[in-house]
Structure formats: C-alpha cells, structure tokens
Amino acid sequence: MNYKMDYNNIFFKINTSLNKIKDHGKVASYIPELNNIDPNKFGVHLTTLNNEHYSIGDSNEKFSIQSIAKVLALTLAYKMKGEKLWKRIDVEPSGTSFNSLVQLEYNHGIPRNPLINAGAIVICDILISNLENPKKDFLEFIRELSGNKTLNFSSKTAESEKITGFTNMALVNLMKSFNNIKNDIDVVMDFYFNLCSIEMTCKELSRTFLFLTNDGIDPITNNKILSESKSKRINAIMLLCGFYDEAGEFAFKVGLPGKSGVGGGIVAIHPNKYSIAVWSPRLNKKGNSQKGMNFLEKFTTKTQSSIF
Amino acid sequence: MNYKMDYNNIFFKINTSLNKIKDHGKVASYIPELNNIDPNKFGVHLTTLNNEHYSIGDSNEKFSIQSIAKVLALTLAYKMKGEKLWKRIDVEPSGTSFNSLVQLEYNHGIPRNPLINAGAIVICDILISNLENPKKDFLEFIRELSGNKTLNFSSKTAESEKITGFTNMALVNLMKSFNNIKNDIDVVMDFYFNLCSIEMTCKELSRTFLFLTNDGIDPITNNKILSESKSKRINAIMLLCGFYDEAGEFAFKVGLPGKSGVGGGIVAIHPNKYSIAVWSPRLNKKGNSQKGMNFLEKFTTKTQSSIF
Amino acid sequence: MNYKMDYNNIFFKINTSLNKIKDHGKVASYIPELNNIDPNKFGVHLTTLNNEHYSIGDSNEKFSIQSIAKVLALTLAYKMKGEKLWKRIDVEPSGTSFNSLVQLEYNHGIPRNPLINAGAIVICDILISNLENPKKDFLEFIRELSGNKTLNFSSKTAESEKITGFTNMALVNLMKSFNNIKNDIDVVMDFYFNLCSIEMTCKELSRTFLFLTNDGIDPITNNKILSESKSKRINAIMLLCGFYDEAGEFAFKVGLPGKSGVGGGIVAIHPNKYSIAVWSPRLNKKGNSQKGMNFLEKFTTKTQSSIF
Amino acid sequence: MNYKMDYNNIFFKINTSLNKIKDHGKVASYIPELNNIDPNKFGVHLTTLNNEHYSIGDSNEKFSIQSIAKVLALTLAYKMKGEKLWKRIDVEPSGTSFNSLVQLEYNHGIPRNPLINAGAIVICDILISNLENPKKDFLEFIRELSGNKTLNFSSKTAESEKITGFTNMALVNLMKSFNNIKNDIDVVMDFYFNLCSIEMTCKELSRTFLFLTNDGIDPITNNKILSESKSKRINAIMLLCGFYDEAGEFAFKVGLPGKSGVGGGIVAIHPNKYSIAVWSPRLNKKGNSQKGMNFLEKFTTKTQSSIF
C-alpha cells in the first residue's frame, strides 16, 4: 500500500453493495436510551497516520460508544500501573458470551480479560483507586486523545443503564465477594456506567484510537500515550477479546485489532496505517454491528489490509 | 418404637463418646456476628408428637438459626401460594455448592430449589408481594409455630450479613436480570438478611418444626399449618436439599429430613415421631455442624429411626 | 396401614382414571431394541413383606429393566467391598442430566453417585475386579434375589446398546483418563451393556427388590443380602439419585425410594411394607415412564404411604 | 526491516541470556515416547521469504511435532472443502484447557476451533471422507510442503498415544454421539494419532509453514497451496487458538500467529517476512515449551517484528 488509496471510492462501492442487502439486525433494546436511535444510521471515518481523512454517511453524528470506551479505560490504567495490572485481570479470550458469570466464579473473581464487562469493571476500580478525581481526570484523558475538549459522559444514558444493569451488578458483587473490587460498589458502578455512556462521532473515534496505530505515540500531537510494547499488547488484546463471543469471526474475516460496542460502533486499527470507525446501530445475534462487521470485512478484503 | 425410648440416656452416651473425638471444625467466620460465639457450645432438644421433651447441654441457649429459617419462609409462602410457587423455583437438588451462580445462569434465573440461597431469596420476594407487613407478619407466623411470642430478628446479625453478603447480592441481581425478582432488591435483601438472623434455642427450634412430623398439623395447638400433602413435600425437599452439597451424605448416614444453618444448628424430623434440634457451632468443610452431623448419625443408628 | 389394603381395587381405579388422559410420552428410541416395544403396554405388581401379591395389566410380561439393574450391581458391590466403595464414587445427587460429562470432569473422574451411568460403570469395573466370572456370578446373584433361575441378559439388547452407546464410551474413557477405571474398557462396557439388558416381569422385579423393604434380609428366603445399615443407605441413594434429573420431583410427588429405567420400568419400595414395580414404555422428557410416575403418585396419595 | 537482519547474532545473544535462567519446565510425560527425549535439547531455525536461513542449536534434529501438525491437516481440509468446513467446527478461541469436554457438550458436539484436540479430530474425520488413501495422501501433501520426500509418521509414537489417549477417545465418542463424526472411530483415531506423530527438524518445520507467510503461495516452488483469503484466515486462527489456554499470553508477548506442540516445538510466522521454528522439550504449566515461548518473546521484541 505504498500508493495512495482512494478510500472514499472504496467506501462508496461497499456501501452501495451493502445497501442491496436487507439488514435484519436489531437495535440494542435493554438500554432504554439506545432504543431511541434511528436504526438506519450509518457512518464511517478513516484517519491515516498522516492525518488524512476519509468518510461516508453519518460520520459526524454523535453516538454512544459503549464498550469501546473500555479500551480507553484500559489504556489509562495500563499507563499508570504497568504490568501489575495482570494480577487482577487475565489476558485470555473468554470463550463464552459477554456477561457470563460462570467463568468468573470458576476463576475466583479474576476476569478473563479487560474487555469483557467484568474486566472493565475491575479496570474502573483500579482507576478510582489511582485517580484524584476519577471521572474528571478520565474525561480529560480522552478529551486530549480525541482532540475534542467538549467530549462528555451522557448522564441520561448512564442513568438508563444503572436502572437495568442487574447483570453487571451481579458481576461486581461476585468479584467483591472474591475481594477483587477494592472500592465501594456504588462508586465503581457509577464510574463504569458513565464510562459506557461516552458519545463520539466516527471522526472523533477514529482519531482517538490513532495512537494504537503508531506504537503508542499520538501521531498528531507527538504525545507518548503508551510505550511501544504496551501499545502492541493492547492491540493483541483487542484482536483476541474485542468482539465478545465473535472475536474469532472478526479476526478471521476482518483481520484487524478492534473493539465493538452495543451502540453499533466498531473501531479497528491497522498498525502503521490507519484507524477506522464504523457506526450502524442494528446488531447481529452476538451483539456486534451487523453492517459494521460486513463493511469492515469487505474493506480489508478490497484493500488487502488484514494484518495476517 | 412402640415402647418408650430413654432418649436422655442415649443422648448422654452419644455425647460421652463424641467428647473423646477432637472436633477440628471451624466456626463460620464470614459473618462477623457468628464469629463471636463460643465454639464449644453444644445442645440437643427432642420433642415428641406427644409433647414429651428430652434434652442435653446448652439446649436452652439462643443461637442464630440462619438457613434453617428458609424452611419456615417456604412453609408460609407454600401455604399462601400453593403449587404456583414452582413456576419460580424448582424442587431438584442442586448438585453444587450452596452459593453457586453457575446453575442459576444455566437455568435462566430459576433456582434449583427453595433451600439454596437463591431459592430462599425468591421465596422472600414472593412473601413481600403477598404480605401486608412482611417482616411483622412473618414474625407473627413463627411466633405462633414456636409458642414463643418474643421471638425476634437480630438486627445486629442482619446488619452484619448485609455488609458482607456480596455473593447473595450477586445472586439477587442475576435473578432480577432474568426477571425472577419482582420487588426492589434492597427490600428483598433486607427481608432475607433478617430472615437468616432469627435466634432460637434448641427447644424452641424442635417445637417449631413439630407440625412437619404430624402431616402439617401442629400437635400442640391442633392448628392446621399446611395440608398433609404440602407437609410431606416440604419433608421431601428437606431430605433432598437441606444440607447444601452434603444432602446425600446426610440422607445416607442420618436418614431423616432436616435442615442445617451456618450458625451450627440442625433440625431433623421423623414423621409421626419426633422433631430434634442440635446445636454445635464448629462446621465441617461443607458448612454443616460437624458434631451435629455425627450426633444425629449415632442417634438414628442407636434408635433405628432412619426413615429408610 | 394396620388393616389389609385392597390394593387390587386401588390399582383398578387409578388405571381407569389414567386411561382417560392421553399419554404423549415417547418410547426410548436411541436403543433400537427398545423401539420395537408396544408403547401401550402397562403392568403393575406389588409384593408385600408377607408375600402377598397384587397386580394389574401386563404384569407378567418381560421387559428390559435397563438402569434399574444398577441398584442390583450396587448391592453386590457394596456387599463385597463395604464402605471402601465411596472412595471411587460419591453419594450426592447429580443436579444435571443423566449423561453429563461436565460434572465428571469437574470432579476428576469421580461420579456423583452410583446410579448415574458413570457411577454404574465404575461399579461394573469394581465387580469385574472382584468376581471370578463376573457375568455368570452376577446372574447367579440376581437369580437368587428374584427367585427365578432362568433370568438372563438379552444379548440382542446388549449388542444394540454397544452399537449406539457413544456417550457411555465417552464417560468410561474420561474416567479411565482419571484412572478411575482399572480394567480394560471393552470388558467393562461389555459387562455394563449386559447389565442394562436384563429382562424381568413386574412380578419378578418387585420380588427382587423385597430385601430393601426389610432392612437387607430377603423376607421370603430369610437370606441376609445386606446389613441393615447398608440396606437403608441404598434406599437413601435411590431416593436422592434414582430418577436422573427428576429425583426431586419423584420424592416430592411419590415420596418413596425407587429407580427408573428407559425401558419404562419403575420399582419403588416402602420400608417394612411393600415393593412395587410399574411398567409403561412411554417416557416423559426427563426419560422416566410418564404413566408409571403418574400411577405411583396417585397410589401413594390414595394409600397415604409416602415415607414423609 | 528493510535492511538485512543479523538473525544469527540475535539468536546467539538471546540463547546466552536464556541459558542463565534455570528452566523448571517438565517434558510431557503422558505420552511414553516423548518421555525419552533429552530435556535439554534446543534448536531454532528461521527461513525468510527469500529462502535465507538462520539457525542455532539442535535445529537439524528430528522431534515429534505433535499438535503443530493440526495446522497442516486443517490446511488440506480447508483447501478441499472450503467454507463448508465451518458447519462442523467453529473458529472461536476455546477459553478453557485443551482437552475440556465441557464446552464440547455445551455446543452439541461442535468443537470451538480446529486447533483444539476435538477440532483436529473432526478435521481428520473430514480428510478420511475426502481422501482416497488418507494417510498416504496426507503424507504426500506435507512432503511437498516440507521439500522432504522422506517425512513420515512415527508408528512407535502413534502406538504410544493410542494406549494412553483416553481423553481423546472420550472426545471422539462424545462427538460421535452428536453425529459430528461420520467415519468409524478407530479409523479416525488411527489417523489422528498418526498425524500427531509426525517428526520434523526445526529447519523442515519452518520451511513447511512458509506458504502462510506468503498469502498461501509456497515462495520456493511457487505452488499455490491456499487462496490468499484462506491463508490469512489460518493465520488468524493460529493467533487466536494456537496455544491452548495461553493464546492470549502468546499474542500479548510474542505477537505472531503460531502453533505449539507438547513435543516442545513451536512454529510462528510473520506475514511477508519469515517462518520460525523453535524446539525445547521442557513445557510450562499450560503445556507449551517454556524456553521456546521465552525465546520468541525476546526475539520479536529485539527485532520489533510483532504484527501489532
């Protein structure tokens, strides 16, 4: 890929072909706030290492990035605590659905990885123990990464999740019973639900993840976010654990490290090349964006840019 | 057993033989309030259908009956709701340890039986939906059964459990996520922790369970507590599910329906004959009173009163 | 029950009422030989401790007793090896379906009890290690118990099971990998499949189990089959583990120790009273005889003879 | 990495540093034939896309490649059957130890991926259904890939595994019970045990996997082994599933697609760059070569050649 790719043209062609297929996916309904979204929204934004931009559709519209934010929480915790992190979370794929308690009980309260709900909750607990003003400090961190000083939590979405988040409450209580949660459960879950409520556009999202395409250094600001080794490791974790029970499917078909959220967003990165964010709210049975998955599969095939 | 048994003499002989064995059991430590109990306490009280009384040791001292109270909550809920109860709880032995979330997740929030924690929590939820003043009304019910109008919850023990009951909080949240808890979680758990905090003496406990030896009719007051069929069914449930992961062991060695609690109490009944309560705070590895189990095994062997 | 029961009249009435209900149960189809049975066969035979006999329907017709024979294998092994048996098999209810490998793997090759397939296979292994001519000696044992010197294995049924018994082959291999099978797998499974192929009539079956109603002594011959304690323990195991994933249901509704087989047979005993065998090939979803379960529920209700 | 790497020098330095560390790993003992190997053997061979060779230690000594051969069986089956393969095997990481029956039972006989034992057994079954002379044809296939016309199965090792392979026999029987094995079990397992018995040197192994670094085309012979897409997908599967319960750890620390075997071998590939084979018989607790893992971690760090 030494020549300049005409990504916009490729986006257009893939979109045209996908529009011919009926998308039977359903919008996430268990979080009331997400249920109000127009299911036909669709946006893509790709940012290259050289700060070139390509996009299609609703790429400048905010959406709830949900679980994608777990990568950002992991980044900050990993930056602060280093390899000590792995005493409290493992780095293995989970092999079961995203909210399973079975494995957590079997492993005595140690989550399989930092991108399943249980693991992200432990990360929140760690951030709370290590940040002076957890929510404010975290917001500052992602505002800098995204280059947007107005990024914020959506208190409406966070409240909405609190009311229905019984499975997550079960997870955190189970981990607390194994002493793998150090702070008060209500404080931890308030942080967690706020984390998942962050809203970004596709453009902001692809820009935010750019440091992971560049061995930990933000290519726009030249800020060192993470060491090269840590940056590569987060990519490895995304590849193995970024798509719930469909990580294999995504690695197999798309071939890039990435992370999805039930809001219908997916971000994926190609080391040394680009960061791409896709948004389409209809989800497949495994809880990942149906059109988003299909789009990225066609995209890496056409551009021959799988990492394998 | 047509002739009159000299139970007091049998008690004395068994106790003498057991005192020769060192009891390595440990008092339950996860509930702070229970940790303060003298581990060497030991009491037995047997009440016959004819209101004859036999006892040894600390049989008139109050202790926390803990999970034994689940049978009483089940009795009241079964009396009020009848067979409809079994839409929300199964009647099968659990086959795993007493606080496992695995089976609950596998069975979509339906507990295996009403005597494991999850099942008792559903029973609490049902009582709250059906009683005007749940805690007060329940107290009245067991006061009548026990013949002691001053029986009460121990608010100290209940508070103590609330602070550490993370596994139970995980259970109730998981069931709520499957919509098998109808009331507010805090209200349900307040009732549950109070239920488990009830204190009785061995004498009161054996008297309270007398109706289950007499096909549902309290032989002292002649009050009909349950129908014959329901009374037999509760006995069946106790035999199959009354001792956590040691139900088989108890049925095998003792051969009576019964229920244990982590406070070190055990109650067992012989249909048409007697109700016996034992208390010794040291627990074996499965969470049942070590000396209590041994005592009852020797007792049913000597008196040939297994139901098998 | 001091007066003489008119059991035949009770049988007649229950049968009449059950005949009004359509039985949607299906005959076991995974064993080809069982699939040829007339699904409408129905027989009952009750033998009292005093050798009185009551029956209805096809009670003198042979059928494949299947898993019921596991109790007889357990009896012989327990008689020979005593409590050492429990080093290789537990006595707890299984809590999952009858052929589950999960629990076996979790428990490192130790079956939960001797009446699930895995447990019965270990019993077969033990008998092979301890009998000179395993199949011949075992046959002699049950011929004496049944009072019928011509009882035999059905080689046709045994062969039929061998061809399709892949789940059982998985079980025995898994246990062998944990070193809980000492003999050659083919020899063990030949014994096991022959054990399950034994054919009896309801009359023979109820007579065979009579020793368990009489504390281990055959009331007809006065032979001591087992000690009182061992006899009671086998009854306890039947009550807790005799009906696959429906043990609770049977204890709850029928209230007697018993054992079922996929051939549609059920035997149940009332200590000190009677042994009853029922046969009806249509099975419910849990693999137990539909009409057999219903018949026994009505029978113990009408005769008030639950042990609870 | 446009300049020529002095790999031999890097090998030397890493080996020197590793030799200072005591390797507490144990040689696989459950397969008697493997137990006879000198545990201190150590070899590395790297082959570049341009057919350059770098090596250290016992790189020309044959060893049992064991599970590494599963990738070659998968390659041939995928080449012949295409995407139809995935009806009988999934492509998700397993999340539990390499011989677990739990997940297989839960998923009704469909293995999680083609690199765990169960999955490889299904691949063997597929090859048997589709090859005229399965063992002979497969041998021919890998002889061509390796460029060594004398490669062979080790009948001694195969026999050795047959005698002790009870867990694998449990797996295949369980899958047969779910109808996911079409051929006779003995034939399937004979193929499987022979597959795992293949012996290669590090040099041969790294050469054999070269086609996976080159989008499916063998760079030496220019033979098209697989399509580009299929080749990338096999790399994705190796990354996610190649190291039993340590896939995450390997992706995280080494960052290359690869596959290990209990003989102590590991092969890993860097797309468009090189294929590297390492051999050291001492295994860590997860069953992967201890020194092999450490060597590759240091190697990709020093050469900055993780794919992330």
Side-chain angles (χ1 to χ4, degrees), chain D residues 117-180:
Chain D
N117 290 12
I121 291 169
V122 169
I123 292 287
C124 290
D125 186 52
I126 290 169
L127 287 177
I128 288 166
S129 298
N130 287 280
L131 294 173
E132 209 162 327
N133 302 298
K135 285 200 280 187
K136 193 169 151 287
D137 296 353
F138 180 73
L139 217 46
E140 208 156 297
F141 174 67
I142 60 167
R143 281 173 176 173
E144 227 178 277
L145 276 180
S146 68
N148 178 345
K149 298 296 175 193
T150 69
L151 270 196
N152 216 331
F153 305 123
S154 158
S155 58
K156 229 170 140 183
T157 305
E159 280 312 307
S160 175
E161 300 207 32
K162 261 184 217 182
I163 294 164
T164 57
F166 300 114
T167 311
N168 287 319
M169 287 304 289
L171 289 170
V172 71
N173 274 287
L174 181 58
M175 292 190 290
K176 185 96 182 171
S177 79
F178 284 110
N179 199 27
N180 199 18

Side-chain angles (χ1 to χ4, degrees), chain C residues 159-209:
Chain C
E159 279 313 307
S160 175
E161 301 207 32
K162 261 184 215 180
I163 294 165
T164 56
F166 300 114
T167 310
N168 287 319
M169 287 302 290
L171 289 170
V172 71
N173 275 286
L174 181 58
M175 291 190 291
K176 184 96 182 172
S177 79
F178 284 110
N179 199 28
N180 198 19
I181 294 292
K182 309 300 179 186
N183 296 285
D184 193 77
I185 281 177
D186 289 339
V187 176
V188 175
M189 294 315 287
D190 176 67
F191 189 99
Y192 176 76
F193 287 130
N194 272 283
L195 173 69
C196 292
S197 79
I198 293 166
E199 298 185 341
M200 292 196 190
T201 66
C202 286
K203 185 172 184 184
E204 288 161 354
L205 187 54
S206 81
R207 194 259 171 269
T208 302
F209 274 70

